[in-house]
Amino acid sequence: MAHKKAGGSTSNGRDSTAKRRGVKRFGGQAVNAGEILIRQKGYWYRPGDNTHVGKDWTIHSNVDGTIFFTQKRMLKFNGKREKCTFVHVKPV
């Protein structure tokens, strides 16, 4: 007769909560001052006109206006030239 083992706990029963990162306002949308535009980990998007970046790389609006994006080829931190996307807010 085969011996059955007692049931134990599993070691993979945990998961981290989602961080809710990503673009929160898209091009052409109206934004208010202080509103979160993009939540990101790292420098995927760069702050442009009338925006600022927080210590966790979150980009906020400085003024009320309309959001728009531009791309520019520039030297990145690793020494390579790549396209960078800038986030701007056009004041009302």
Side-chain angles (χ1 to χ4, degrees), residues 17-34:
T17 56
K19 303 298 181 208
R20 275 88 172 174
R21 292 192 183 115
V23 178
K24 306 299 179 189
R25 296 289 178 263
F26 296 93
Q29 282 188 307
V31 295
N32 298 320

Side-chain angles (χ1 to χ4, degrees), residues 54-70:
K55 69 177 185 176
D56 62 347
W57 298 291
T58 299
I59 298 179
H60 302 268
S61 172
N62 288 342
V63 297
D64 297 346
T66 307
I67 185 172
F68 69 98
F69 296 86
T70 60

